[in-house]
């Protein structure tokens, strides 16, 4: 399902993976429900964390 994405994804990739808006992704990150690291102005998210989030939801 997520095979075409790399192991580390950005907010735009998560939008495509989960079919949700950028605002929703940022809300998930800020609430702590989706772990992410901020590098400069860009958030990086592990694909495995996105998969875990999907299975937990």
């Amino acid at each position: 399902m997520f095979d075409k994405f790399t192991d580390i994804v950005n907010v735009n990739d998560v939008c495509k993976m989960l079919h949700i808006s950028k605002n929703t992704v940022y809300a998930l990150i800020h609430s702590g429900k989706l772990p992410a690291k901020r590098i400069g102005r860009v958030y990086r998210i592990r694909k495995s964390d996105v998969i875990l989030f999907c299975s937990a939801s």
Side-chain angles (χ1 to χ4, degrees), residues 1-3 8 10-13 16 19 22 24 28-31 34 36-38 40-41 44-46 51-52 54:
M1 181 173 172
F2 299 137
D3 294 337
I8 304 295
N10 59 30
V11 171
N12 288 331
D13 292 333
K16 293 174 189 172
H19 304 286
K22 281 186 180 183
T24 304
L28 291 170
I29 291 169
H30 292 298
S31 70
L34 184 62
K37 296 287 183 188
R38 188 170 179 179
R41 297 176 63 192
R44 298 290 183 206
I45 303 109
R46 289 186 293 190
I51 294 168
L52 284 174
C54 288

Side-chain angles (χ1 to χ4, degrees), residues 4 9-10 15 20 31 51 56:
K4 68 177 186 175
V9 295
N10 59 30
C15 291
I20 57 177
S31 70
I51 294 168

